[in-house]
Amino acid sequence: MRWADAEGHGPVRYGPPLPEDGLPVLPELCGVLAAAAGRAAAEPVGGGTALLEAACGYWERRGLPTEPGHTAAGPGAPALLLALTAALGGDVLVPRPCAAWWAPYARLLGRPVFHVATPAECGGVPDPYALLETVRRVREEGGDPRLLVLSVADDPTGTVAPPEVLHEAVEAAAGEGLHLVSDETWRDTLHTPAGTVLLSPAEMLPGRVTVVSDLAGGLLPAAWPAAVARFPADADGTRLHARVLDILTALGARVAGPVATAASYALAEPEPVADRARAAVRLHVRVAAALHAAVTGAGALSRPPQAGRHLYADLGPLRAALSAHGVGDAQELEDFLTARLGMPAPGGQRFGDDLAALRVRLATGPLLGRTDEERARCLASPMPLELPHVQSALTTVRTVFGELRDDVRRREPPR
């Protein structure tokens, strides 16, 4: 089966799952999970005491004091976002582009989703003036916008919005009475922490922001689904928390007991977890830089990635060469690059972008190897880009994009 064929079908059109970093599971995490494998008691809906207290400690260390009574856990961020969307009601606003899994859950509930224009340098945070205009237009047409979902370290673009843009967007949303869900899954994966200012909207607007973080972003393997949410510490936040727990209960959406134990351990960030997280970021930074150089060297446009494991590329400058291969939109670009690169290359249409635009998200994980042994060597090597299997993967990327560049040059009229 082709990778593109494995995605969801029908009107909801689910996007790709949360990406894995491709690295072997941390042995200490395996030990914690194995020790909890005999646990017979189910984790309470919304998370047990140990998990919620660990989540509070995690946020406390990031300048967001939190009480367990305003925290909830679920089997992955999608379950939490689905419950939040159902509890808040109304129409949903998201950036363009945005994470592939945001809009489908609103559509699953029958809620309209409106994409808001987002500058390339502000991935994850919509333009404040475009946000106000979208809210005005939706209301004029009889809609009821209530929820804005954004991210401070963005998937799919891998960028971080400047603090002043985030401030303006948050103020605009507050002025229109919107509740914000801040997806902070990738906040701990900054490529240059000393040079990138990352703020949470919850620091600016404590009473109207719910923070959601999927632990697959940096603490747990994606195959162990667990996520945590932080609610406003006021009466409205208490009511929203209660409604979300009701919905999670109706769905039977609880974290598996052994996974909850592993998540509690990971959220406490003991030395093995913290060391692995830092090492994984260092590795992905190097591979992302090489990937970005290969893509932009061929003439494509892409902001340098600042967080996460992805970059978002605009291949519009290569349209003439791509059209010769029958590529005229983002879906055809996805099919073309997935086949040529031998790895997933989801097109921008999966992230709410314009189908006609030739945009694509590329990830670093597939370049780390195909076996646990190869990936472990990447993690341990001081020069992972010089490993033969990584060199081979990057050579494939350079070759595919280089051929497109050369084809464009051949088509240029002589000067």
Side-chain angles (χ1 to χ4, degrees), residues 132-343:
L132 293 172
E133 175 59 23
T134 302
V135 170
R136 182 196 63 78
R137 176 175 54 84
V138 171
R139 286 178 175 155
E140 281 187 352
E141 296 173 355
D144 181 22
R146 296 189 195 176
L147 170 61
L148 170 64
V149 187
L150 49 73
S151 59
V152 293
D154 188 40
D155 168 21
T157 67
T159 60
V160 177
E164 59 273 15
V165 174
L166 180 61
H167 271 286
E168 292 172 1
V170 168
E171 288 177 356
E176 296 299 329
L178 302 179
H179 189 89
L180 281 75
V181 168
S182 178
D183 180 358
E184 301 186 6
T185 295
W186 302 104
R187 68 166 296 156
D188 297 326
T189 64
L190 293 181
H191 292 190
T192 55
T196 304
V197 177
L198 186 147
L199 299 176
S200 170
E203 299 177 56
M204 308 172 194
L205 197 67
R208 300 198 69 86
V209 179
T210 298
V211 176
V212 173
S213 182
D214 198 301
L215 303 191
L219 294 176
L220 290 182
W224 302 3
V228 288
R230 176 188 184 274
F231 294 80
D234 58 14
D236 288 340
T238 299
R239 285 189 288 270
L240 178 60
H241 178 260
R243 290 198 298 272
V244 165
L245 290 184
D246 285 343
I247 294 164
L248 292 175
T249 299
L251 295 172
R254 66 183 77 215
V255 183
V259 173
T261 303
S264 302
Y265 171 79
L267 281 165
E269 298 177 292
E271 187 174 347
V273 171
D275 287 346
R276 163 58 74 87
R278 287 190 291 266
V281 170
R282 287 194 299 269
L283 173 59
H284 286 289
V285 167
R286 292 171 177 171
V287 178
L291 183 60
H292 182 260
V295 170
T296 56
L301 305 175
S302 175
R303 301 286 300 182
Q306 297 172 284
R309 307 164 190 154
H310 319 104
L311 64 83
Y312 200 64
D314 185 344
L315 275 62
L318 304 176
R319 184 178 290 274
L322 288 164
S323 64
H325 295 279
V327 174
D329 63 26
Q331 180 60 62
E332 292 166 349
L333 177 63
E334 174 182 309
D335 295 340
F336 173 80
L337 287 179
T338 296
R340 294 298 179 93
L341 296 175
M343 69 181 200

Side-chain angles (χ1 to χ4, degrees), residues 11 96 99 133 249 358 366 399 413:
R96 183 191 296 275
E133 175 59 23
T249 299
L358 296 179
T399 299

